Amino acid sequence: MPERATWASKAGFVLASAGAAVGLGAIWKFPWLAGSNGGAVFVIPYVILSLTLGFVFLTAEITLGYMGRGSIVTTMRKLGGSKWVPAGYLGVVTGLLVLSFYSVIGGWTIAYLVDAILGRGLVTSQAELGARFGALSGDPLLAVGYQALFLTLTAGVVALKVSKGIERLSRILMPALFILMLILIVRGLTLPGASEGLSYLCAWKPEAFTWQSLYQALGFTFFSLCVGCGCMMTYGSYLPQGSRILKSCAQIVGLTTAASILGALMVMPAVFAFHLDPAAGPGLTFVTMPVIFAQLPFGGLFAVAFFACLTFAALTSSVSMLELDTAFLVDEFHVSRTTGAIISTLVIMVIGFFCALSFGPLADTKFLGKNVFDWCDFLTSNISLPIGGLIVALLAGLVVWPKFREALSVPPAPSDQWFRIFRLLLVVACPILVVIVLVTGLL
């Protein structure tokens, strides 16, 4: 068997992992969750949870991959034995299902980027923009075509060597993403009335707090760090021996949390400046933001920058999901990376085809009130990802703890007390978090 590929640099690993975690969550999901859940009463708990339990979860998954030196199935077999292998296959299936519906949204981002480049879509009427979005998502040729383009771009990156494909892409796109976000933030904060949006995100108002906002913060912590399906485990398997995992994980969590805050700062001040609804929900990005660009000087340029951000973020995340399934085929069936990427992409395209049609010809084809897109989202977000996170916590904290601790003890090693606290969070607090997300998501 050929020697396992490794990251060419620590910076490349951190940027690739941060890109996997950031995804569409920071720019598309976080702003509307913050807007719909009282601003600061959602943002502050999210930051606290990310820097504590989120850090523990991420460290556990990456370290297990580092120890197993293989895909999620290979790692589960090596560290836990044959009885843990089904958990690895659950991660593989989760990756397929997530990318099947995620690629639909990724296709939308490309479509909006193309429209922005061509000068289309800068309309002040939200009703007209809503109709445009409906036309895009409901047209089979457009929806499937843009989805296929998005998946083809993803496969092209994954087919290359880790250091030449995923790492090189991340070293270019992640800095570009942050630069574009900062440009848009500066422009948004200079708008009259933008301070109201800033206050909404920063000012703690106890009367606005609800348990629903806390649950949403719990769920987004899990979602934003891309833990539970094995993407980070796969990335961890490419770390060279002797890596300082804790430091890298702290940097990844820091970048991911910062990207989410920047995403909110990019959207909310402009939303308040133009007196739009901060609780507009998922449509905040695709329906509300173009209204803002239409009213800004040089709005076309800002629209291109914004949707370029969305596309970059979507691509860095989709690459990690496809890598999960490609690595499984490479490690378990010894196919080439190119073959593994092609097979995985074709399977995802078949499932994703039905997801893409869920807003058009299959919109009325539902089971228990959900179409194919909804079911892929529901099964992964509410069931398989939380279960995968629980498995990671138990495997690391109970089954392989001595070796797990040794892997993290690269000098300067943490103290014994630090490890006791870390393990307590891993085997008690993290499972409680998972159970809350799992039970609440099923209610």
Side-chain angles (χ1 to χ4, degrees):
M1 182 180 295
E3 183 180 353
R4 188 160 190 79
T6 59
W7 302 104
S9 66
K10 174 191 167 185
F13 163 67
V14 170
L15 289 173
S17 300
V22 169
L24 286 172
I27 305 174
W28 169 64
K29 194 170 187 176
F30 187 81
W32 68 258
L33 282 177
S36 303
N37 290 281
V41 297
F42 169 84
V43 173
I44 294 174
Y46 159 71
V47 172
I48 295 172
L49 288 166
S50 291
L51 299 181
T52 54
L53 299 186
F55 168 75
V56 171
F57 257 128
L58 181 72
T59 301
E61 187 161 322
I62 286 177
T63 305
L64 289 175
Y66 171 78
M67 295 166 61
R69 314 303 295 169
S71 69
I72 184 172
V73 173
T74 306
T75 295
M76 289 293 177
R77 181 187 297 112
K78 182 175 180 179
L79 300 183
S82 59
K83 61 184 178 181
W84 287 80
V85 170
Y89 282 102
L90 175 65
V92 172
V93 173
T94 299
L96 288 172
L97 292 180
V98 169
L99 194 48
S100 294
F101 76 85
Y102 187 92
S103 59
V104 177
I105 308 171
W108 296 343
T109 66
I110 295 178
Y112 271 78
L113 176 60
V114 170
D115 277 352
I117 292 172
L118 296 178
R120 301 196 299 253
L122 295 182
V123 181
T124 56
S125 169
Q126 284 188 290
E128 184 176 341
L129 282 167
R132 280 194 170 191
F133 178 71
L136 166 64
S137 58
D139 187 312
L141 291 178
L142 286 177
V144 173
Y146 277 115
Q147 179 194 40
L149 175 59
F150 180 79
L151 284 171
T152 300
L153 292 173
T154 303
V157 175
V158 172
L160 299 173
K161 290 183 178 179
V162 172
S163 59
K164 292 183 178 180
I166 299 172
E167 185 170 354
R168 185 172 295 174
L169 176 82
S170 300
R171 291 176 73 96
I172 296 171
L173 292 192
M174 285 306 293
L177 174 62
F178 277 96
I179 291 171
L180 288 173
M181 290 174 78
L182 289 172
I183 291 172
L184 289 167
I185 288 170
V186 171
R187 181 64 186 96
L189 291 176
T190 61
L191 296 171
S195 59
E196 294 181 31
L198 197 59
S199 176
Y200 184 78
L201 290 173
C202 300
W204 178 267
K205 297 178 180 179
E207 68 276 9
F209 175 81
T210 64
W211 289 109
Q212 178 66 20
S213 65
L214 180 60
Y215 159 68
Q216 294 276 17
L218 283 170
F220 188 75
T221 298
F222 204 83
F223 177 88
S224 67
L225 290 171
C226 198
V227 294
C229 64
C231 293
M232 292 303 189
M233 192 178 294
T234 304
Y235 276 15
S237 72
Y238 300 129
L239 281 170
Q241 294 294 332
S243 296
R244 296 177 62 184
I245 300 174
L246 285 174
K247 184 177 180 181
S248 294
C249 288
Q251 292 169 337
I252 294 167
V253 171
L255 284 173
T256 303
T257 306
S260 295
I261 300 300
L262 290 176
L265 290 173
M266 186 171 61
V267 174
M268 281 300 153
V271 167
F272 274 81
F274 288 101
H275 308 291
L276 299 174
D277 183 11
L284 189 66
T285 296
F286 293 107
V287 179
T288 301
M289 290 306 292
V291 175
I292 295 172
F293 299 136
Q295 301 176 67
L296 287 176
F298 305 106
L301 292 177
F302 289 109
V304 171
F306 180 80
F307 288 111
C309 283
L310 270 183
T311 304
F312 290 176
L315 191 58
T316 55
S317 189
S318 66
V319 162
S320 71
M321 287 183 272
L322 186 60
E323 176 63 23
L324 160 67
D325 294 307
T326 300
F328 160 70
L329 293 175
V330 170
D331 291 345
E332 294 293 314
F333 298 98
H334 310 303
V335 301
S336 67
R337 285 187 63 82
T338 301
T339 301
I342 292 173
I343 293 173
S344 299
T345 302
L346 290 176
V347 172
I348 291 167
M349 280 185 175
V350 171
I351 304 172
F353 174 80
F354 295 98
C355 291
L357 297 182
S358 295
F359 301 91
L362 300 181
D364 296 325
T365 304
K366 298 181 179 180
F367 177 70
L368 297 179
K370 292 181 174 63
N371 57 35
V372 178
F373 183 101
D374 295 332
W375 272 113
C376 287
D377 186 8
F378 176 80
L379 291 173
T380 54
S381 299
N382 296 300
I383 299 177
S384 63
L385 281 173
I387 290 175
L390 183 62
I391 290 168
V392 166
L394 296 179
L395 178 61
L398 297 178
V399 179
V400 297
W401 175 253
K403 292 182 179 180
F404 181 90
R405 173 173 172 162
E406 182 181 349
L408 293 178
S409 296
V410 176
S415 64
D416 291 341
Q417 183 178 5
W418 185 93
F419 274 115
R420 283 194 291 269
I421 295 173
F422 183 94
R423 192 181 189 190
L424 181 65
L425 292 174
L426 186 59
V427 300
V428 178
C430 286
I432 290 174
L433 163 65
V434 170
V435 170
I436 290 173
V437 173
L438 184 62
V439 172
T440 308
L442 292 175
L443 293 178

